[in-house]
Amino acid sequence: MAPELIYMLKVNIGIALFYAFYKLFCCRDTFFQWRRITLLSFLALSFLYPLLNIQAWVKEQPVINELADYYALLMMTDTATANTNAVTETATTLPVPDLMSLLIIVYVCGVLILSVRFIIQLLSIFRLVLKSKEVTIDNVRVRSLSDPANPFSFWQWVFIYLPGLKEDERKEIMTHELTHVRQWHSIDVILSEIVNIVCWMNPFMWLLKAEIRLNLEYLADHTVMESVTDTRQYQYHLLGLANQSKQTGLYNNFNLSHLKNRIMMMNKKRTRTTGRIKYALFAPLAAALLLVSNIEAVARTAEHFADKVTDATTVSATATDPAIAQEVTPPQDDPVFQVVEYMPEYPGGMGACIEFIKNNVKYPAKAEVLKREGKVIVQCTIEKDGTLSDIKVARSVSPELDQEAIRVVSTMPKWKPGMQRGKAVRVRYSLPVTFKLEGNNKKASTNEEDPRITGPDANGVYTVVEDMPQYPGGMQACLDFIGKNTQYPATAHKDGIQGRVIVQFIVEKDGTLSNVRIVRSVRQDVDDEAIRVVKTMPTWTPGKLKGKAVRCKYTLPVTFHLQ
């Protein structure tokens, strides 16, 4: 999906969640100014939070980075499958517009229509300014309408039809409309209208726009209620105006809809000041949206750069190991991976690595005096020749312990490099080093497991292990198997159906495949063919953790593509 579409999707999700927050916590109180600020903040943050980049921080948090890595596994690069007959037969097939293209066309048409409507409304107001006569009422200049109409305001103009108005009615109307003018309510109206044009396909934006307009009326009504002696009479005047001709547009209308809600709010008891505390709940919601947005961005970027290193398409099919996620760095000729088929290994294994750290670490004297201890996470790049480079601290404890952890890691001998498709590759590796004071004993150790490896689920199934499962003969053999055994469904071929099917299964300890299921569907017949081919695969080499075979979940994206 294009970045622009992902951005707009996040914007609309933000609007929906913010609207739900408003209806749940804010719409029943009488803090109208607070509401106004909150509603405008909703609009601003919905467009802002997808742009805020905290990906560097996300990658430094092991638990959060695990979520990003796992999410990336579900989005990995395609395995294109198309048999020779399908390639030949579809050479003359007319292209079928996909659903996304149609949605974009509909969206653009809607934006254009609403934009034209917005411009027409603006021009109609300017036309009224030119047609109406300027008069002075109570030292305030207003535009006198020549035809009967409800009073309204826009920007710094107040439009009113004077004939037939009583003195008390005129004062109430002027107080109401001047509140709109002096508090610049037209800014809220214009901003909400523009956002509604951009997000017109989101029903929650239409609802949010209505709430913004209604709250402005609450503000103006509140000002009138504080200035008049007979509040009932003002409400009767509103009911009388409700029977006159109604207007809709960009302006603030004295007789806007939701009249029942306005009268109920006028008679509502003022909310206690302590009720404002609930507005603080808005901050965690915005923070959660920002965090989820950046987790998705890290995972999506990992998928994007994994695509850059995918092999060229063969005649029958192409595939990449879906467990491989490349380091989130700009594209380069010599990429750095996060997870590969065979992870880097310290000479002698992790036990030897632990001994090396224990024998070589020197607990800093200053840290010992200050009783500082904890886990320092060191990140490094293990190069193709096994040397360590770009060593830095991903999680700090104190400057003294950080420096000692970097020093010890820097003195390590060459590692066995990571392997991808039979070739040595650069791999980003995280090495947690724990400093712990126990009486007079100063200890430093490291986790015995790869920090990316989390515990198994309730069924004893891992997602990432040291040695990932492998198709017999490697991924190229897997490509050949898919190309020779896949039969493009006739109905899907006839209908021009193509797309990515993501199949997930468990590679058991004996290498057999179980729990084959669809994670992302295209269509039933295409899904069934993907499952059928996977189920006919021979026994795999099982995944291993600490040298022992374990049950491991594996995700295999298969793309059916007509050429």
Side-chain angles (χ1 to χ4, degrees):
M1 188 180 293
E4 296 82 3
L5 296 179
I6 293 175
Y7 172 77
M8 287 304 301
L9 179 62
K10 291 180 179 180
V11 168
N12 284 278
I13 290 174
I15 288 173
L17 291 178
F18 288 145
Y19 173 78
F21 174 88
Y22 178 82
K23 294 298 289 185
L24 188 62
F25 294 104
C26 308
C27 69
R28 296 179 184 85
D29 62 42
T30 58
F31 304 126
F32 305 127
Q33 286 290 359
W34 282 63
R35 283 207 219 175
R36 184 188 183 192
I37 295 172
T38 301
L39 287 166
L40 292 179
S41 299
F42 288 166
L43 297 182
L45 285 174
S46 294
F47 283 86
L48 183 61
Y49 87 88
L51 300 176
L52 296 179
N53 189 337
I54 58 170
Q55 295 179 30
W57 180 84
V58 167
K59 288 185 285 183
E60 290 176 358
Q61 312 305 312
V63 175
I64 301 177
N65 199 26
E66 284 292 335
L67 295 175
D69 286 345
Y70 180 73
Y71 182 50
L73 295 178
L74 300 179
M75 302 192 304
M76 274 301 146
T77 321
D78 297 351
T79 301
T81 65
N83 59 26
T84 306
N85 292 336
V87 173
T88 304
E89 293 172 5
T90 58
T92 59
T93 302
L94 294 177
V96 180
D98 56 23
L99 180 60
M100 184 59 67
S101 299
L102 292 175
L103 286 176
I104 292 174
I105 293 173
V106 172
Y107 169 76
V108 172
C109 291
V111 170
L112 293 176
I113 292 172
L114 292 176
S115 298
V116 171
R117 173 176 170 266
F118 177 71
I119 294 172
I120 291 174
Q121 289 175 340
L122 283 176
L123 293 176
S124 67
I125 294 175
F126 293 134
R127 181 171 173 269
L128 273 178
V129 173
L130 297 176
K131 287 181 60 179
S132 59
K133 180 181 178 181
E134 185 178 280
V135 297
T136 300
I137 301 177
D138 298 333
N139 298 321
V140 178
R141 290 183 296 178
V142 300
R143 312 299 303 190
S144 177
L145 298 174
S146 57
D147 299 319
N150 286 338
F152 65 91
S153 62
F154 179 78
W155 211 247
Q156 296 298 288
W157 296 306
V158 174
F159 299 85
I160 187 170
Y161 181 70
L162 294 172
L165 277 181
K166 297 178 181 179
E167 180 67 18
D168 54 352
E169 291 177 336
R170 180 176 56 78
K171 288 183 178 180
E172 291 168 357
I173 290 173
M174 289 298 297
T175 302
H176 183 101
E177 298 304 330
L178 287 176
T179 301
H180 287 312
V181 169
R182 289 166 180 166
Q183 295 183 6
W184 295 92
H185 289 178
S186 292
I187 293 178
D188 304 47
V189 174
I190 292 174
L191 284 177
S192 63
E193 193 68 33
I194 292 174
V195 174
N196 189 64
I197 291 173
V198 175
C199 303
W200 72 268
M201 297 185 77
N202 186 352
F204 294 101
M205 185 56 227
W206 291 87
L207 296 172
L208 191 61
K209 184 181 78 166
E211 293 292 340
I212 291 173
R213 299 288 293 270
L214 183 58
N215 186 63
L216 296 179
E217 295 306 313
Y218 290 158
L219 279 167
D221 289 337
H222 180 67
T223 304
V224 176
M225 296 288 285
E226 289 181 335
S227 64
V228 300
T229 56
D230 190 348
T231 58
R232 292 265 178 201
Q233 183 180 3
Y234 174 62
Q235 295 173 17
Y236 289 141
H237 290 165
L238 287 178
L239 291 172
L241 286 169
N243 296 322
Q244 298 182 13
S245 59
K246 297 184 179 180
Q247 303 147 317
T248 57
L250 299 178
Y251 34 76
N252 300 292
N253 194 324
F254 187 74
N255 183 37
L256 196 67
S257 58
H258 301 103
L259 183 57
K260 178 182 177 182
N261 292 338
R262 290 172 59 186
I263 293 177
M264 290 176 60
M265 193 61 70
M266 291 180 210
N267 297 318
K268 187 179 180 66
K269 185 179 179 181
R270 301 296 98 178
T271 309
R272 293 182 179 180
T273 306
T274 53
R276 295 174 182 173
I277 297 175
K278 63 189 177 183
Y279 283 84
L281 297 174
F282 171 50
L285 174 61
L289 275 174
L290 177 61
L291 182 61
V292 172
S293 172
N294 279 269
I295 289 176
E296 185 276 337
V298 168
R300 176 165 41 84
T301 311
E303 180 199 17
H304 170 72
F305 290 124
D307 288 343
K308 298 296 183 180
V309 295
T310 304
D311 286 344
T313 304
T314 61
V315 175
S316 57
T318 60
T320 58
D321 186 343
I324 309 307
Q326 193 173 15
E327 173 71 18
V328 183
T329 54
Q332 49 188 333
D333 295 333
D334 198 8
V336 179
F337 291 80
Q338 291 234 29
V339 183
V340 289
E341 292 172 348
Y342 297 99
M343 292 298 294
E345 186 178 349
Y346 184 87
M350 192 53 66
C353 182
I354 295 172
E355 290 300 320
F356 178 88
I357 292 176
K358 287 182 178 179
N359 295 334
N360 289 273
V361 73
K362 297 178 181 179
Y363 213 109
K366 184 177 179 180
E368 181 182 358
V369 172
L370 297 175
K371 304 295 184 183
R372 287 175 176 167
E373 56 184 13
K375 182 188 296 184
V376 179
I377 295 184
V378 180
Q379 279 190 348
C380 60
T381 299
I382 299 178
E383 301 290 343
K384 296 178 182 179
D385 61 356
T387 58
L388 278 59
S389 67
D390 193 20
I391 303 172
K392 62 182 180 181
V393 172
R395 181 193 291 173
S396 173
V397 174
S398 72
E400 302 81 17
L401 297 182
D402 295 349
Q403 292 176 8
E404 179 60 17
I406 289 178
R407 185 194 67 80
V408 172
V409 172
S410 300
T411 60
M412 283 184 173
K414 288 185 178 182
W415 286 48
K416 180 181 178 181
M419 303 293 289
Q420 171 68 14
R421 297 178 187 164
K423 296 182 180 179
V425 293
R426 305 172 70 206
V427 180
R428 193 69 178 160
Y429 201 88
S430 297
L431 191 65
V433 180
T434 302
F435 292 83
K436 186 172 180 62
L437 291 167
E438 296 180 356
N440 295 325
N441 296 324
K442 302 178 285 292
K443 295 183 178 181
S445 63
T446 183
N447 291 356
E448 295 188 14
E449 297 180 355
D450 188 319
R452 277 172 290 272
I453 299 170
T454 57
D457 61 17
N459 297 318
V461 179
Y462 289 82
T463 301
V464 180
V465 291
E466 292 172 347
D467 296 324
M468 290 299 293
Q470 188 175 12
Y471 184 88
M475 194 51 64
Q476 185 58 51
C478 185
L479 292 178
D480 296 338
F481 180 90
I482 293 174
K484 293 177 181 177
N485 292 274
T486 299
Q487 297 178 358
Y488 213 109
T491 54
H493 170 246
K494 180 180 178 181
D495 297 339
I497 299 298
Q498 55 184 358
R500 174 170 26 181
V501 179
I502 296 184
V503 183
Q504 193 176 80
F505 50 87
I506 296 174
V507 181
E508 300 290 346
K509 296 179 181 180
D510 60 358
T512 58
L513 307 185
S514 66
N515 293 69
V516 182
R517 65 188 185 94
I518 299 296
V519 177
R520 183 186 297 170
S521 172
V522 171
R523 200 173 77 167
Q524 186 64 47
D525 52 353
V526 178
D527 297 347
D528 292 343
E529 177 61 16
I531 289 179
R532 186 194 66 80
V533 172
V534 170
K535 285 185 174 181
T536 60
M537 285 184 173
T539 302
W540 286 47
T541 300
K544 291 185 178 181
L545 181 62
K546 297 181 181 179
K548 295 183 179 180
V550 294
R551 303 180 73 203
C552 187
K553 187 183 298 181
Y554 202 90
T555 305
L556 186 66
V558 180
T559 296
F560 289 79
H561 183 62
L562 300 174
Q563 297 180 354

